[in-house]
Amino acid sequence: MLKVVINKHFKKELKSFIIKLPEIFNESGETIFAARNIIKVFDVNGMRVNVKSFQKPHLFNQLMYATFRKSKAERSYKYAHKLEERGFNTPTPLAYMEQQFAFLLKRSAYISINEDFDGKMQELRHGTLEGRENLIRQFALFTAELHKKRVLHLDYSSGNILYKKNGEDYSFYLVDLNRMKFDGKISLDTACHNFRRLWGSDDMITFFIKEYAKARHFNEKLCLEKTFKYRERFWKFFNRKHPFESPYIAE
């Protein structure tokens, strides 16, 4: 069984393409990311679209996603719309697709507009704070506004935050949306724990936290202490598990 949900503004352009996706995905498209999940770009009726094909779930999760839980593709699509409704940017959600067999979810994919960006926040892995103050300040204010509106991205890592630049102004875009929470109050402790995956030198993170704390009227010293405690714990674990992949080494 094939389930397809398409943004009403793009049904005419996308319907036939998405129905054929299970047949054509492996042999066509331009691969831009390949790990557990695969992202490809396709040209469809004059549009450039991203298709994120999620890794086939383990057997238990195949049953859970087919019966009790929303798939990662469905969550990505619905959360993208929620972000847009609250005034935040993400590549335009176009559709999602699920393929089931014998009451098991075998495949799912999320489809969005392919957009050009000026950078990713993961670029802050290298270099120093100097010259990047404006970018980091605006990123901190963006994050504070996100949290004020009760939007919590549970995988708030630097690779999932992209930006466009217009003069001295930055517009931030969120991707990888299948793990998010909406409408819960985001406390100081919740926020600081949420920052544990961010990349950058200690100086960059300190600057970010000070700007964020100011915008949220949080205790700056406490916010710094908690953030660095959670970061140290997270990256120690990450370094043990992936000794050659870590983007962060505590100073």
Side-chain angles (χ1 to χ4, degrees):
M1 182 181 73
L2 185 66
K3 178 183 177 182
V4 171
V5 174
I6 305 174
N7 186 322
K8 64 181 180 180
H9 301 295
F10 299 94
K11 279 189 176 181
K12 182 179 178 181
E13 296 88 344
L14 292 176
K15 185 175 180 179
S16 61
F17 165 73
I18 295 174
I19 289 173
K20 292 187 296 183
L21 255 181
E23 302 170 20
I24 68 173
F25 183 82
N26 290 338
E27 306 302 327
S28 57
E30 174 192 348
T31 301
I32 59 174
F33 180 83
R36 288 182 305 170
N37 307 314
I38 298 173
I39 303 176
K40 288 188 173 186
V41 179
F42 293 82
D43 291 306
V44 184
N45 292 324
M47 294 190 302
R48 295 271 286 171
V49 303
N50 282 2
V51 178
K52 182 175 184 177
S53 178
F54 291 94
Q55 182 184 39
K56 183 179 178 180
H58 298 301
L59 183 60
F60 176 75
N61 282 339
Q62 289 180 38
L63 176 61
M64 293 298 290
Y65 285 136
T67 53
F68 301 109
R69 294 184 62 196
K70 292 181 173 63
S71 71
K72 292 181 179 181
E74 180 177 357
R75 281 180 276 150
S76 297
Y77 179 76
K78 291 185 174 179
Y79 292 166
H81 280 292
K82 282 191 174 186
L83 277 176
E84 290 186 331
E85 289 166 4
R86 297 186 188 209
F88 298 107
N89 295 318
T90 187
T92 302
L94 299 177
Y96 74 91
M97 177 213 75
E98 297 173 354
Q99 192 174 31
Q100 295 184 18
F101 178 74
F103 302 104
L104 299 174
L105 179 71
K106 297 297 183 180
R107 190 172 198 170
S108 68
Y110 169 58
I111 300 94
S112 61
I113 285 284
N114 176 266
E115 296 198 38
D116 294 323
F117 294 96
D118 294 312
K120 287 185 179 182
M121 294 307 292
Q122 67 183 175
E123 296 161 5
L124 300 188
R125 170 181 179 177
H126 303 292
T128 61
L129 171 64
E130 186 176 358
R132 290 168 163 164
E133 293 90 346
N134 186 37
L135 170 61
I136 298 174
R137 180 181 295 109
Q138 290 190 41
F139 175 51
L141 296 177
F142 162 79
T143 305
E145 191 64 22
L146 199 70
H147 289 177
K148 286 176 184 177
K149 293 188 177 180
R150 301 191 172 199
V151 178
L152 186 67
H153 194 311
L154 296 176
D155 189 7
Y156 206 56
S157 61
S158 299
N160 293 334
I161 305 153
L162 303 93
Y163 63 82
K164 295 181 181 181
K165 186 177 182 184
N166 182 14
E168 295 301 311
D169 296 326
Y170 292 88
S171 297
F172 297 93
Y173 289 70
L174 299 179
V175 297
D176 201 359
L177 306 180
N178 68 88
R179 295 178 62 242
M180 301 193 72
K181 284 186 177 181
F182 294 84
D183 297 323
K185 183 178 179 181
I186 300 173
S187 65
L188 183 151
D189 187 72
T190 300
C192 294
H193 184 261
N194 194 230
F195 300 148
R196 68 196 185 282
R197 298 170 181 263
L198 293 178
W199 298 7
S201 68
D202 286 357
D203 284 347
M204 290 180 188
I205 298 300
T206 297
F207 184 82
F208 167 82
I209 292 301
K210 287 182 176 180
E211 294 295 322
Y212 175 86
K214 190 188 308 180
R216 293 289 314 273
H217 305 290
F218 283 163
N219 182 292
E220 181 182 299
K221 182 179 178 181
L222 183 59
C223 209
L224 284 167
E225 288 175 357
K226 283 182 173 289
T227 297
F228 278 99
K229 179 187 75 174
Y230 288 130
R231 279 172 61 77
E232 182 180 13
R233 185 183 301 169
F234 174 81
W235 289 111
K236 277 184 177 179
F237 174 78
F238 187 95
N239 289 338
R240 287 197 301 270
K241 195 173 180 181
H242 309 279
F244 302 109
E245 300 177 27
S246 176
Y248 172 77
I249 300 174
E251 295 177 353

